[in-house]
Structure formats: structure tokens, C-alpha cells
Amino acid sequence: MSASPNNPFDSSAKNWDTRRMSVQLAEVANLLLPQLVLNDRQHWLDFGSGTGLLSVPLAARVEQVTALDTSEKMLEVLVEKGIKNIQTLNQNVFSGLPCDYDGVVSCMALHHVASTEALLKQFYQHLKQDGQLALVDLYAEDGSFHGDNEAKGVKHLGFDIEALRATAEALGFVEVSFAEIMQVEHRNGCGYPLFVMLARRS
Ligand SMILES: C[S@@+](CC[C@H](N)C(=O)[O-])C[C@H]1O[C@@H](n2cnc3c(N)ncnc32)[C@H](O)[C@@H]1O
């Protein structure tokens, strides 16, 4: 997926924050931030930030947040929120990152990237020593979460967390842990559990 006008998220951007699912996902920040070591000298990267459901509360706790997203429209909604210490970066995560970060967070973006190994490697290479990684995404599901997976740019039907752990550890991440962070209720009537993966760059 590149930073192009055809990004599938562009058309959802204006209404993103009021979607039933987004209202539930906004709760991730309240559950996740207490699990991180945060201070007002840190610079964090929010990968696939969208409209900033995670970036905005994170920015209140650190010096700077870079909100990275291929969707120009999602980032426009975030910019309209006027948070001074959030800097947006409208590009693909694989196009090269401008600096190293104290931490990387992400919510529901991992399943949109074909090579999880390449993505985790990119994070590893752009985390400072002892930098924190915190990723929230779906446990393995049957494809019903998005329904039209191809049109929505879905590359993984959730994740087998033991495979994810093995990939992260092989790259050098330490203190890799998983826990269920919340369950979201879909309009299809099903509940889908989300995991949080925490790890640290050695
Ligand atoms: C499901 S949305 C989640 C947005 C936000 N984190 C939230 O929880 O509301 C996934 C986001 O990841 C972005 N994305 C997907 N692949 C990307 C990539 N390779 N580089 C940067 N952003 C990407 C999409 O444009 C989209 O805004």
C-alpha cells in the first residue's frame, strides 16, 4: 500500500471517529498507555495512526508523536484536531523513517502489511536501545471481521501470537509478551478479541 489517492481508508476518514468500531477502539489508549513507560522527553511513532485514536492520548504523555499513515485523508482529520506535538507523516512505513524512536505503538494496522517480519524489522531498526514496542491487533479470525478482505487491503486474518512471538524474538526483541486487551463487538453480532503485544529492543 502506498501513500496514494486510492488508499481504501481515504473514503472512511471523515466518519472514522464516529463509527461504532472506532468508538470501541478509542478505549485501547486507556487500556494500553498504563502498560507503557512514558515521559515528557520521549518521541513515539504511531504506525497506521489513522485519525489519531491512539496518537492523541499518547501525545498528552510524551514530548512528541509522529503519526505515520499512507492515507492522506485520515491524517487530515488528525491535523484538524490541532494537537501541537503530533507531527504527521504521510508515507508508507517502508519508504524509510526519518529518525529513531523511544517507542512504537500501533492499533489495527499490522494486519494490513503483508510481511510482518519486514515490518517488525523496520520497527527494530528505528527503535532506540531499550525502545518499547506495543502493537494491538486481532487474534486469528475467520475473515468475517472485515468481510471484503481484499478490497479493504487486509493481508492477515488476525494473528497466531506464537508465530508473532517467534518472529519478534528472531529479530532480537526481548521481553515479548501477549495479553488480551479488549474484545470488540462487531455489527455482524460477533465479538472479536484483540491482543496487545509488548516488547523491547535489546
Ligand atoms: C484499520 S486503520 C487503523 C487506524 C487507527 N490506528 C485506529 O485504530 O483507528 C489502519 C491504518 O493503517 C494505515 N496503513 C496500512 N498500511 C500502511 C503502511 N504500509 N504504512 C503506513 N500506514 C499504513 C492505513 O492507511 C489505515 O489508516
Side-chain angles (χ1 to χ4, degrees):
M1 191 184 293
S2 63
S4 77
N6 299 323
N7 187 298
F9 289 93
D10 280 349
S11 58
S12 314
K14 282 283 174 225
N15 300 321
W16 188 262
D17 288 2
T18 53
R19 293 159 68 242
R20 185 170 176 263
M21 185 57 66
S22 299
V23 170
Q24 295 178 73
L25 290 174
E27 181 63 14
V28 164
N30 294 330
L31 300 166
L32 179 62
L33 299 191
Q35 301 186 45
L36 306 176
V37 178
L38 302 174
N39 66 56
D40 60 10
R41 297 176 305 283
Q42 294 173 332
H43 182 184
W44 282 70
L45 174 72
D46 182 0
F47 162 65
S49 65
T51 59
L53 295 182
L54 199 44
S55 298
V56 172
L58 178 60
R61 303 280 306 279
V62 300
E63 182 175 36
Q64 192 182 355
V65 174
T66 293
L68 170 71
D69 207 292
T70 45
S71 168
E72 186 182 1
K73 300 289 178 197
M74 293 285 259
L75 292 180
E76 276 176 17
V77 174
L78 173 52
V79 168
E80 281 166 16
K81 294 177 183 173
I83 311 294
K84 292 200 169 33
N85 61 337
I86 297 180
Q87 169 194 0
T88 58
L89 194 53
N90 183 208
Q91 62 162 70
N92 192 303
V93 66
F94 295 115
S95 301
L97 295 171
C99 63
D100 294 341
Y101 303 93
D102 295 291
V104 174
V105 288
S106 183
C107 180
M108 298 296 271
L110 196 58
H111 61 255
H112 290 288
V113 176
S115 175
T116 307
E117 183 183 12
L119 182 63
L120 293 183
K121 189 174 181 185
Q122 179 76 326
F123 293 154
Y124 193 88
Q125 290 174 340
H126 287 278
L127 276 168
K128 296 177 187 170
Q129 189 165 5
D130 292 328
Q132 300 163 73
L133 179 68
L135 306 176
V136 173
D137 214 297
L138 291 156
Y139 285 95
E141 49 101 13
D142 61 3
S144 57
F145 183 83
H146 293 88
D148 192 351
N149 289 290
E150 201 177 322
K152 291 181 177 162
V154 174
K155 307 295 186 196
H156 301 270
L157 305 180
F159 291 89
D160 171 343
I161 60 170
E162 289 313 320
L164 205 48
R165 181 196 302 279
T167 303
E169 289 179 346
L171 288 167
F173 281 103
V174 295
E175 300 170 29
V176 182
S177 69
F178 291 86
E180 182 175 321
I181 189 164
M182 70 181 295
Q183 177 156 313
V184 288
E185 302 302 324
H186 200 285
R187 61 170 187 254
N188 68 13
C190 298
Y192 296 83
L194 307 182
F195 66 82
V196 57
M197 171 186 167
L198 299 176
R200 196 175 275 278
R201 186 200 199 281
S202 55

